[in-house]
Amino acid sequence: MPPSKSVVLGAAAFTASAALALAFLWKSQEAPRKRKVVISGGCGNLGTKLAIALLAAGEYEVVLLEHPEFANAGRVPKGAQLVLADLAKLEAPWNEALRGADAAVHFSAVNPYPNATWAE
């Protein structure tokens, strides 16, 4: 005797639910996406210290924004991306650097204490 329609529909619903559950479990096993953090004043004292800490955590993509006059490629930590831009210009590349960012930290300023420690 063939199964009733409700049994067939129930089996199909169970199969669909099982497929969704397996897809969820499969997706949860993938490596988590790195969060994108953009730091203005990225070559400065605080910007480089924050970038080093975020990169050490291994969970972040770090983009450093720096004005071309203050940029210092020697201060860019390994693994960080440097974008040269003037924040006062709307057409500058900084707006592209912010696309898809999960967080933005604004440290861009003239620092009267450029050699201060993080605690200071």
Side-chain angles (χ1 to χ4, degrees), residues 37-58 60-64 75 77 80 103-108 117-118:
V37 179
V38 179
I39 305 170
S40 69
C43 289
N45 186 31
L46 294 177
T48 55
K49 288 176 180 168
L50 178 59
I52 290 168
L54 291 173
L55 290 166
Y60 301 95
E61 171 190 353
V62 177
V63 178
L64 305 178
R75 291 187 56 106
V105 181
H106 183 57
F107 284 147
S108 184
T117 66
W118 184 266

Coordinates of all heavy atoms in Angstrom, one line a residue, residues 37-58 60-64 75 77 80 103-108 117-118:
V37 N 38.5 47.1 10.4 CA 38.6 48.2 11.2 C 39.5 49.3 10.5 O 40.6 49.0 10.0 CB 39.3 47.9 12.6 CG1 39.4 49.2 13.4 CG2 38.5 46.8 13.3
V38 N 39.0 50.5 10.3 CA 39.7 51.5 9.6 C 40.1 52.5 10.7 O 39.3 53.0 11.5 CB 38.8 52.2 8.6 CG1 39.5 53.4 7.9 CG2 38.3 51.2 7.5
I39 N 41.4 52.9 10.7 CA 41.9 53.8 11.7 C 42.5 55.0 11.0 O 43.5 54.9 10.2 CB 43.1 53.1 12.5 CG1 42.6 51.8 13.1 CG2 43.6 54.1 13.6 CD1 43.7 51.0 13.7
S40 N 41.9 56.2 11.3 CA 42.4 57.4 10.7 C 43.6 57.9 11.6 O 43.6 57.6 12.8 CB 41.4 58.5 10.6 OG 41.0 59.0 11.9
G41 N 44.6 58.5 11.1 CA 45.8 58.8 11.8 C 46.6 57.5 12.1 O 47.2 57.3 13.1
G42 N 46.5 56.6 11.2 CA 47.0 55.2 11.3 C 48.5 55.1 11.5 O 49.0 54.1 12.0
C43 N 49.2 56.1 11.0 CA 50.7 56.1 11.2 C 51.2 56.8 12.4 O 52.4 56.9 12.7 CB 51.4 56.7 9.9 SG 51.3 55.7 8.5
G44 N 50.2 57.3 13.2 CA 50.6 58.1 14.4 C 50.8 57.1 15.6 O 50.7 55.9 15.5
N45 N 51.0 57.7 16.7 CA 51.4 57.0 17.9 C 50.2 56.0 18.3 O 50.4 54.8 18.5 CB 51.6 58.0 19.1 CG 52.1 57.3 20.3 OD1 52.8 56.3 20.3 ND2 51.8 57.9 21.5
L46 N 49.0 56.5 18.5 CA 47.9 55.7 18.9 C 47.4 54.8 17.8 O 47.1 53.6 18.1 CB 46.7 56.6 19.4 CG 47.0 57.4 20.7 CD1 45.7 58.2 21.0 CD2 47.3 56.4 21.8
G47 N 47.4 55.3 16.6 CA 47.0 54.4 15.5 C 47.8 53.2 15.3 O 47.3 52.1 15.1
T48 N 49.1 53.3 15.3 CA 50.0 52.2 15.2 C 49.9 51.2 16.3 O 49.9 50.0 16.1 CB 51.5 52.6 15.0 OG1 51.9 53.4 16.0 CG2 51.7 53.3 13.7
K49 N 49.7 51.7 17.5 CA 49.6 50.8 18.7 C 48.3 50.0 18.6 O 48.2 48.8 18.9 CB 49.6 51.6 20.0 CG 51.1 52.1 20.2 CD 51.2 53.0 21.5 CE 52.6 53.4 21.6 NZ 52.8 54.5 22.6
L50 N 47.2 50.7 18.2 CA 45.9 50.0 18.1 C 46.0 49.0 17.0 O 45.5 47.8 17.1 CB 44.8 51.0 17.8 CG 43.4 50.3 17.6 CD1 43.0 49.5 18.8 CD2 42.4 51.4 17.3
A51 N 46.6 49.3 15.8 CA 46.7 48.4 14.7 C 47.5 47.2 15.1 O 47.1 46.0 14.8 CB 47.4 49.1 13.5
I52 N 48.6 47.3 15.8 CA 49.4 46.2 16.3 C 48.6 45.3 17.2 O 48.6 44.0 17.0 CB 50.7 46.7 17.0 CG1 51.6 47.3 16.0 CG2 51.4 45.5 17.8 CD1 52.8 48.1 16.6
A53 N 47.8 45.9 18.1 CA 47.0 45.1 19.0 C 45.9 44.3 18.2 O 45.6 43.1 18.5 CB 46.4 46.0 20.1
L54 N 45.2 45.0 17.3 CA 44.2 44.3 16.5 C 44.8 43.2 15.7 O 44.2 42.1 15.6 CB 43.5 45.3 15.6 CG 42.6 46.4 16.4 CD1 42.1 47.4 15.4 CD2 41.5 45.7 17.1
L55 N 45.9 43.4 15.0 CA 46.5 42.4 14.1 C 47.0 41.2 15.0 O 46.9 40.1 14.5 CB 47.6 43.0 13.3 CG 47.2 44.0 12.2 CD1 48.4 44.8 11.7 CD2 46.5 43.2 11.1
A56 N 47.5 41.5 16.2 CA 47.9 40.4 17.1 C 46.7 39.5 17.5 O 46.9 38.3 17.6 CB 48.6 40.9 18.3
A57 N 45.6 40.0 17.5 CA 44.4 39.3 17.9 C 44.0 38.3 16.8 O 43.4 37.3 17.0 CB 43.2 40.2 18.2
G58 N 44.4 38.6 15.5 CA 44.2 37.7 14.4 C 42.7 37.7 13.9 O 42.4 36.9 13.0
Y60 N 41.1 40.7 12.8 CA 40.7 41.9 12.2 C 41.5 42.2 10.9 O 42.7 41.8 10.9 CB 41.0 43.1 13.2 CG 40.2 42.9 14.4 CD1 40.7 42.3 15.6 CD2 38.8 43.3 14.5 CE1 40.0 42.2 16.7 CE2 38.1 43.2 15.6 CZ 38.7 42.6 16.8 OH 37.9 42.4 17.9
E61 N 40.9 42.8 10.0 CA 41.5 43.4 8.8 C 41.7 44.8 9.2 O 40.8 45.5 9.6 CB 40.6 43.2 7.6 CG 41.1 44.0 6.4 CD 40.1 44.0 5.3 OE1 39.0 43.4 5.4 OE2 40.3 44.8 4.3
V62 N 42.9 45.3 9.1 CA 43.2 46.7 9.6 C 43.6 47.6 8.4 O 44.5 47.2 7.6 CB 44.4 46.7 10.6 CG1 44.7 48.1 11.0 CG2 43.9 45.9 11.8
V63 N 42.9 48.7 8.3 CA 43.2 49.7 7.2 C 43.6 51.0 7.9 O 42.9 51.5 8.8 CB 42.0 49.9 6.3 CG1 42.3 51.0 5.3 CG2 41.6 48.6 5.6
L64 N 44.8 51.5 7.6 CA 45.3 52.7 8.2 C 45.1 53.9 7.2 O 45.6 53.8 6.1 CB 46.8 52.6 8.6 CG 47.2 51.4 9.5 CD1 48.7 51.4 9.7 CD2 46.4 51.5 10.8
R75 N 56.2 52.8 9.8 CA 55.3 52.7 11.0 C 54.1 51.8 10.7 O 53.3 51.5 11.6 CB 54.9 54.0 11.5 CG 56.0 54.8 12.1 CD 55.5 56.1 12.7 NE 54.5 55.8 13.8 CZ 54.7 55.9 15.1 NH1 55.9 56.2 15.5 NH2 53.8 55.6 16.0
P77 N 52.3 48.5 10.5 CA 52.6 47.1 10.9 C 52.3 46.1 9.8 O 51.5 46.3 8.9 CB 51.5 46.9 12.1 CG 51.0 48.2 12.4 CD 51.2 49.1 11.2
A80 N 48.8 45.2 7.9 CA 47.9 46.4 7.7 C 48.0 47.0 6.3 O 49.1 46.9 5.7 CB 48.2 47.4 8.8
A103 N 34.1 48.9 11.7 CA 34.4 50.0 12.7 C 35.3 51.0 12.2 O 36.2 50.6 11.3 CB 34.9 49.4 14.0
A104 N 35.2 52.2 12.6 CA 36.1 53.3 12.3 C 36.6 53.9 13.5 O 35.8 54.3 14.4 CB 35.5 54.3 11.3
V105 N 37.9 54.1 13.7 CA 38.5 54.8 14.8 C 39.2 56.0 14.3 O 40.0 56.0 13.5 CB 39.5 53.8 15.6 CG1 40.1 54.5 16.8 CG2 38.8 52.5 15.9
H106 N 38.8 57.2 14.9 CA 39.3 58.4 14.4 C 40.4 59.0 15.4 O 40.1 59.5 16.4 CB 38.2 59.5 14.3 CG 38.6 60.8 13.7 ND1 39.3 60.9 12.5 CD2 38.5 62.0 14.3 CE1 39.5 62.2 12.3 NE2 39.1 62.9 13.4
F107 N 41.7 58.7 15.0 CA 42.8 59.2 15.7 C 43.5 60.3 15.0 O 44.6 60.8 15.4 CB 43.8 58.1 16.0 CG 43.4 57.2 17.1 CD1 43.8 55.8 17.0 CD2 42.7 57.6 18.2 CE1 43.5 54.9 18.0 CE2 42.4 56.7 19.2 CZ 42.7 55.4 19.1
S108 N 43.0 60.8 13.9 CA 43.7 61.8 13.1 C 43.7 63.1 13.8 O 42.7 63.7 14.0 CB 43.0 61.9 11.7 OG 43.7 62.8 10.9
T117 N 53.4 56.8 25.8 CA 53.0 55.3 25.8 C 51.5 55.2 25.8 O 50.8 56.2 26.0 CB 53.5 54.7 27.1 OG1 52.8 55.2 28.2 CG2 55.0 54.8 27.3
W118 N 51.0 54.0 25.5 CA 49.6 53.7 25.4 C 48.9 54.1 26.8 O 47.8 54.7 26.8 CB 49.4 52.2 25.1 CG 47.9 51.9 24.9 CD1 47.1 51.4 25.8 CD2 47.2 52.0 23.7 NE1 45.8 51.2 25.3 CE2 45.9 51.6 24.0 CE3 47.5 52.4 22.4 CZ2 44.9 51.5 23.0 CZ3 46.5 52.4 21.5 CH2 45.2 51.9 21.7

